[in-house]
Amino acid sequence: MKITQDIKDSTVIMTLDGELDASSSVILDEELSDPEIMKYSKILVDCRNLNYISSAGLGVFISHLQRFEDAQIKLIFFNMQDKVRNVFEILGLDLLMTIVTNYEEAITIADE
């Protein structure tokens, strides 16, 4: 798993590349736990190259949801492959998290 961040004004664009499993979820948790990320009002997660997500990976996002919500930080997923999106939908996480088709839609929703 490779995680990269691109900062644009008040937005962090986090790109996930590879498989988000138990071992790589630790790295993701460190990225999302970094106090610096709380400076931004939007976190957009580009899932185009996310090939797999385990329950541990899902758990990392779930564990940060309330903290981001309390800080009024929008967490938006985009470019999600069907097989990954199906995992979110089967578990009902698409009702808790914002998942959109592409970057343009993510920016539009983030700016609302």
Side-chain angles (χ1 to χ4, degrees):
M1 166 63 58
K2 181 179 178 186
I3 302 171
T4 56
Q5 289 187 15
D6 184 26
I7 309 295
K8 292 183 180 177
D9 301 317
S10 62
T11 305
V12 175
I13 301 166
M14 184 175 289
T15 303
L16 306 180
D17 190 349
E19 297 185 353
L20 185 53
D21 56 19
S23 61
S24 58
S25 66
V26 173
I27 299 163
L28 176 64
D29 189 50
E30 289 171 358
E31 296 273 342
L32 294 176
S33 297
D34 186 339
E36 289 291 308
I37 207 160
M38 301 303 286
K39 290 189 210 177
Y40 303 96
S41 61
K42 298 165 249 186
I43 301 170
L44 308 183
V45 183
D46 186 349
C47 301
R48 174 176 291 138
N49 295 318
L50 178 62
N51 301 318
Y52 169 81
I53 188 164
S54 71
S55 59
L58 291 166
V60 169
F61 287 118
I62 293 167
S63 71
H64 290 279
L65 274 180
Q66 190 64 51
R67 184 170 64 104
F68 292 153
E69 187 176 304
D70 291 347
Q72 297 180 335
I73 297 172
K74 294 182 180 178
L75 177 65
I76 302 171
F77 298 83
F78 68 100
N79 287 338
M80 197 174 280
Q81 295 181 31
D82 288 341
K83 62 184 173 183
V84 173
R85 186 178 184 119
N86 287 340
V87 173
F88 279 77
E89 290 173 354
I90 288 168
L91 297 173
L93 297 176
D94 58 320
L95 303 175
L96 293 175
M97 301 177 189
T98 304
I99 303 170
V100 298
T101 306
N102 54 47
Y103 174 78
E104 292 75 19
E105 193 177 348
I107 286 293
T108 300
I109 288 174
D111 288 339
E112 291 179 348

